[in-house]
Amino acid sequence: MTTKTLKLYSYWRSSAAYRARIAINLKGLTCQIVPVSLVDEGGQQHSASYHEVNPQELVPTLIDGERVIRQSLAIIEYLDEMYPQGTALLPAEPRSRARVRALALAVACDIHPLNNTRVLKFLEHEMGVAQAGRERWIRHWIALGLAALEELIADDVVAGEFCHGDAPTMADATLIPQLYNARRWGLDLAAYPTLARIESACLALDAFERARPERQADAPVT
């Protein structure tokens, strides 16, 4: 077990940061969470101090000693390779690794970018899309992506209790935050029973429970 303390720049409701928190917990690592509000002060990710950390002005960013790792899936793979303890986030066998990566990328590259904060702000402020139109946009792209994932996982014999087999992987760490987002925007998830079953299995684990947005120190008190 590492004696170093990792540092993760995070926002409580960012699905990308949520993925990284899940991975950190699955690896059993100690991590200091540094909140970066995507809404306060015009978005703290745009501050000069955070720009120095991450010129993309996105969360999450992982600090491990002198190393700075950006992009959530790169962070997850880095943690898996650097810290072999805890749950393996990627399978050892190449074809299985490719499948897990593909499922994770289907969320991180095809679904999530179309409904993240900066895209929604552009739709609102630059294109004049009203709230109802933005929400329709979000639900459309999430539904399209989740339908494909449902089919990919339900029809594959290597799927088990989780996306790949009977232990959580990077695919599950990426899926669960997207399902959280889907509910946030009012998408009916009844059409995705396999994904819902996997979500239940994941949320029964402490690593996923502790990573939930409402459990974060920067989450609003309700």
Side-chain angles (χ1 to χ4, degrees):
M1 179 72 71
T2 178
T3 57
K4 293 188 295 182
T5 299
L6 302 171
K7 181 187 294 185
L8 185 75
Y9 290 91
S10 171
Y11 176 60
W12 71 281
R13 205 161 58 182
S14 161
S15 60
Y18 190 177
R19 298 169 201 153
R21 295 194 303 264
I22 291 169
I24 288 165
N25 293 343
L26 286 171
K27 300 306 288 185
L29 297 167
T30 299
C31 184
Q32 175 191 358
I33 301 295
V34 181
V36 178
S37 175
L38 303 187
V39 295
D40 293 343
E41 303 168 14
Q44 293 173 350
Q45 73 275 24
H46 303 308
S47 68
S49 59
Y50 188 69
H51 182 90
E52 290 185 8
V53 175
N54 189 335
Q56 289 185 286
E57 300 180 359
L58 300 171
V59 294
T61 301
L62 180 75
I63 309 295
D64 184 7
E66 298 300 316
R67 299 180 180 89
V68 182
I69 300 94
R70 306 168 184 91
Q71 291 291 337
S72 60
L73 296 194
I75 289 170
I76 291 172
E77 292 211 31
Y78 171 83
L79 293 171
D80 205 37
E81 292 167 0
M82 287 295 295
Y83 301 104
Q85 69 265 23
T87 301
L89 303 175
L90 282 161
E93 194 274 320
R95 286 170 293 187
S96 296
R97 288 173 75 86
R99 179 178 183 273
V100 167
R101 282 193 179 106
L103 293 174
L105 289 166
V107 174
C109 294
D110 296 336
I111 304 175
H112 173 244
L114 290 166
N115 58 88
N116 70 8
T117 301
R118 61 180 181 172
V119 169
L120 298 180
K121 285 184 177 179
F122 187 85
L123 289 173
E124 179 182 5
H125 299 299
E126 301 299 327
M127 300 190 68
V129 179
Q131 179 71 19
R134 298 197 303 275
E135 292 185 4
R136 181 183 175 191
W137 164 280
I138 293 166
R139 287 191 291 270
H140 170 79
W141 293 113
I142 295 178
L144 194 67
L146 292 185
L149 280 173
E150 174 72 21
E151 187 174 350
L152 284 168
I153 297 171
D155 291 347
D156 198 323
V157 295
V158 301
E161 187 175 5
F162 299 93
C163 288
H164 188 89
D166 293 320
T169 65
M170 180 168 71
D172 304 280
T174 309
L175 172 65
I176 299 312
Q178 190 58 64
L179 295 179
Y180 171 89
N181 270 353
R183 286 195 178 87
R184 175 188 169 196
W185 295 109
L187 181 65
D188 184 356
L189 299 183
Y192 320 111
T194 304
L195 303 185
R197 174 183 58 76
I198 291 169
E199 182 186 40
S200 294
C202 288
L203 294 181
L205 301 177
D206 181 65
F208 284 82
E209 174 61 29
R210 287 188 290 115
R212 291 175 71 133
E214 59 270 21
R215 295 284 302 273
Q216 304 313 301
D218 57 326
V221 177
T222 57

